[in-house]
């Protein structure tokens, strides 16, 4: 077992950091990445500027590895875009790791050697087997441990308000996008300018899209924005503003509030989409579970979060919370029905371990369906996990992270409970305090 590699699934920021920590402890990590480039998910939203500074976006072990090779650290106070993060940090880190990173290697499954999940015997002595598909065919890799840092980007939540795709959602895919559009791209901008657009979601991605589309509306007459919220009231959707200890995150909320109050946005609350139907002239009409409808819209931007893909871990004994699909010890700390502070108690291998020895879910995937994951949380996770794999219990249990507060507490308001008999989640969708543009014909 000691001669076997530790397989890391995913060559994103957390996966590459995991490899750096493992290498620093004398292990031979093997990072398997399905895409042809590292940071593939980050590249897809490369136009978006992060609200974390460079100081919070680089892992300490990765920095030590890079600086030993002459890497120049970016200005710690700067705020990179996703593309900057890739070019100035992830690409150099992958180069420093060398052939420990394999691209075009998709993990199809993980199991205990010679045993399905039903067999008890040998689970603590037999190695893990990682089934991989590449352009050259299938491969079986034997590993002493597996660190799953594959993220959730490839599994966006659907528009449907019950967690399943709304009726007609799949058929309307040509007019639906599941990521923040790059409104600086002329072709993308032309898709939305002068159109009636629904933005569905209330997290940071939705706020970013709201700000960007409001800027388009300033310059393109006829652009209408319909902001659809599942929650019964806006609540703390704009965050803590100046009280946020990540200033750029607070500033995003303030800009989104300004956009929402600009008169260019019509906000509908308590709207949980049941169906997407043709509305004439090639446009779409969204209908909620209680029968309310939007006016016909040209485009829909769905930014309702993500969920983990657990299908290829079906032969591994995981212990996941039945609600969040996060490790059971971690779930109560990140439950968005309760928490919105972002001040998750620092955690590591102890909270991330499973009944299956040597298997850890880290990074965004460890959060299951919970939102608001910070890179520095993932870096602390993999530091602790690498220590645990090395048998360094003291280091694995040591806390080396303090997270910045959002300035907002009291729950995320996923489905507001009524404060009075008249209010709450079951009330009709509300168009709140905003001046809607005059409706277009049809």
């Amino acid at each position: 077992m000691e001669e076997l590699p530790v397989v890391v699934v995913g060559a994103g920021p957390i996966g590459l950091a995991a490899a750096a920590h493992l290498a620093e402890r004398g292990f031979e990590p093997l990072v398997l990445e399905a895409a042809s480039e590292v940071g593939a998910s980050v590249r897809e939203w490369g136009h978006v500027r992060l609200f974390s500074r460079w100081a919070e976006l680089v892992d300490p072990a990765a920095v030590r590895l890079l600086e030993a090779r002459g890497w120049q650290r970016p200005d710690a106070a700067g705020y990179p875009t996703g593309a900057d993060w890739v070019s100035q940090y992830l690409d150099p880190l992958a180069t420093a790791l060398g052939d420990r990173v394999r691209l075009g290697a998709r993990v199809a499954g993980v199991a205990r050697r010679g045993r399905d999940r039903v067999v008890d015997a040998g689970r603590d002595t037999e190695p893990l087997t990682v089934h991989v598909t590449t352009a050259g065919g299938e491969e079986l890799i034997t590993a002493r441990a597996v660190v799953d840092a594959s993220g959730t980007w490839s599994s966006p939540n659907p528009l449907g308000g019950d967690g399943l795709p709304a009726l007609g959602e799949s058929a309307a895919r040509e007019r639906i996008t599941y990521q923040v559009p790059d409104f600086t791209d002329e072709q993308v901008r032309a898709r939305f300018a002068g159109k009636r657009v629904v933005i569905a979601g209330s997290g940071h991605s939705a706020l970013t899209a709201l700000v960007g589309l409001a800027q388009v509306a300033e310059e393109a007459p006829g652009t209408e924005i319909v902001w659809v919220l599942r929650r019964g009231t806006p609540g703390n959707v704009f965050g803590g503003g100046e009280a946020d200890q990540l200033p750029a995150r607070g500033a995003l909320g303030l800009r989104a509030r300004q956009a929402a109050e600009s008169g260019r946005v019509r906000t509908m609350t308590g709207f949980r989409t049941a169906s997407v139907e043709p509305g004439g002239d090639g446009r779409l009409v969204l209908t909620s579970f209680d029968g309310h409808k939007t006016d016909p819209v040209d485009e829909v931007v769905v930014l309702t979060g993500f969920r983990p893909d657990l299908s290829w871990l079906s032969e591994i004994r995981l212990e996941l919370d039945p609600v969040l699909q996060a490790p059971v010890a971690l779930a109560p700390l990140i439950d968005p029905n309760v928490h919105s502070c972002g001040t998750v108690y620092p955690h590591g291998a102890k909270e991330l371990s499973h009944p299956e020895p040597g298997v850890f879910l880290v990074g965004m995937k460890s959060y299951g369906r919970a939102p608001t994951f910070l890179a520095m949380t993932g870096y602390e996770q993999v530091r602790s996990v690498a220590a645990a794999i090395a048998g360094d219990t003291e280091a694995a249990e040591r806390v080396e992270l303090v997270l910045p507060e959002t300035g907002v507490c009291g729950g995320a308001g996923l489905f507001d409970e009524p404060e009075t008999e008249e209010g709450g989640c079951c009330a009709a969708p509300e168009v709140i305090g905003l001046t809607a543009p005059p409706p277009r014909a049809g």
Side-chain angles (χ1 to χ4, degrees):
M1 291 276 275
E2 292 181 358
E3 297 177 355
L4 297 176
V6 176
V7 167
V8 179
V9 185
I14 309 306
L16 294 178
H21 280 278
L22 289 164
E24 195 170 64
R25 284 189 169 271
F27 294 106
E28 193 56 38
L30 177 59
V31 182
L32 301 177
E33 169 58 50
S36 60
E37 298 176 292
V38 301
S41 297
V42 180
R43 293 174 193 271
E44 291 195 27
W45 50 266
H47 57 285
V48 176
R49 190 167 298 280
L50 289 90
F51 52 65
S52 293
R53 300 172 301 145
W54 268 116
E56 294 131 3
L57 293 171
V58 294
D59 171 78
V63 168
R64 291 189 288 270
L65 177 63
L66 286 165
E67 289 184 336
R69 289 159 173 77
W71 176 73
Q72 296 298 310
R73 183 197 294 254
D75 178 8
Y79 292 91
T81 63
D84 296 333
W85 201 14
V86 170
S87 64
Q88 297 179 49
Y89 174 64
L90 298 182
D91 278 342
L93 180 53
T95 299
L97 289 166
D99 59 8
R100 293 166 171 150
V101 179
R102 287 185 56 187
L103 303 175
R106 179 177 298 278
V107 175
V110 178
R112 186 65 61 181
R113 185 170 67 180
R115 291 149 175 80
D116 63 25
R117 66 183 296 163
V118 177
V119 178
D120 289 335
R123 301 204 85 85
D124 57 347
T125 57
E126 285 295 312
L128 295 156
T129 53
V130 183
H131 295 243
V132 182
T133 58
T134 68
E138 298 179 324
E139 185 177 349
L140 191 66
I141 297 172
T142 308
R144 65 182 297 163
V146 172
V147 180
D148 179 4
S150 60
T152 58
W153 177 257
S154 61
S155 304
N157 286 330
L159 177 61
D162 58 0
L164 298 174
L167 295 178
E169 182 173 348
S170 298
R173 285 296 294 267
E174 289 187 0
R175 292 187 174 273
I176 301 177
T177 183
Y178 295 86
Q179 61 189 65
V180 179
D182 181 3
F183 294 114
T184 64
D185 183 290
E186 288 302 322
Q187 289 186 332
V188 174
R189 187 183 183 88
R191 174 177 174 178
F192 296 94
K195 307 291 179 58
R196 183 182 293 148
V197 182
V198 160
I199 296 177
S202 59
H204 296 112
S205 293
L207 298 186
T208 300
L210 188 69
V211 170
L213 190 55
Q215 292 173 344
V216 173
E218 279 188 47
E219 303 167 5
T223 306
E224 302 176 29
I225 307 168
V226 181
W227 188 20
V228 169
L229 298 175
R230 292 173 178 173
R231 58 176 68 191
T233 63
N236 55 25
V237 65
F238 297 111
E242 295 179 358
D244 196 319
Q245 291 182 6
L246 285 179
R249 182 171 60 186
L252 171 63
L254 293 174
R255 291 197 304 273
R257 179 186 291 276
Q258 183 180 21
E261 294 175 349
S262 67
R264 299 183 179 89
V265 178
R266 181 175 183 238
T267 304
M268 301 182 71
T269 62
F271 194 101
R272 307 182 78 83
T273 307
S275 65
V276 181
E277 305 164 355
D281 297 331
R283 291 189 285 175
L284 305 172
V285 172
L286 277 57
T287 303
S288 71
F289 278 94
D290 54 8
H292 291 85
K293 297 178 181 291
T294 66
D295 292 331
V297 301
D298 299 285
E299 300 285 345
V300 182
V301 180
V302 180
L303 300 167
T304 52
F306 300 87
R307 61 184 60 180
D309 176 9
L310 301 168
S311 60
W312 53 271
L313 293 169
S314 61
E315 294 306 314
I316 292 297
R317 295 180 176 182
L318 301 178
E319 191 172 22
L320 299 175
D321 178 78
V323 177
L324 293 184
Q325 296 177 296
V328 291
L330 178 60
L333 306 177
I334 60 175
D335 186 348
N337 288 290
V338 179
H339 299 287
S340 65
C341 292
T343 51
V344 177
Y345 183 80
H347 57 278
K350 181 180 179 181
E351 292 82 3
L352 299 172
S353 62
H354 294 276
E356 194 74 62
V359 174
F360 301 91
L361 275 60
V362 300
M364 189 66 232
K365 193 165 184 176
S366 72
Y367 268 40
R369 298 197 185 196
T372 318
F373 182 83
L374 296 174
M376 64 183 96
T377 298
Y379 296 154
E380 172 67 2
Q381 288 179 341
V382 296
R383 180 203 64 79
S384 174
V385 165
I389 294 173
D392 187 348
T393 303
E394 188 276 331
E397 294 181 351
R398 186 171 62 241
V399 173
E400 296 186 2
L401 175 68
V402 176
L403 290 174
E405 295 186 18
T406 65
V408 177
C409 297
L414 296 181
F415 206 119
D416 297 318
E417 294 294 334
E419 296 182 2
T420 67
E421 292 184 0
E422 292 78 19
C425 64
C426 298
E430 178 189 6
V431 180
I432 57 165
L434 307 174
T435 304
R440 289 184 356 186

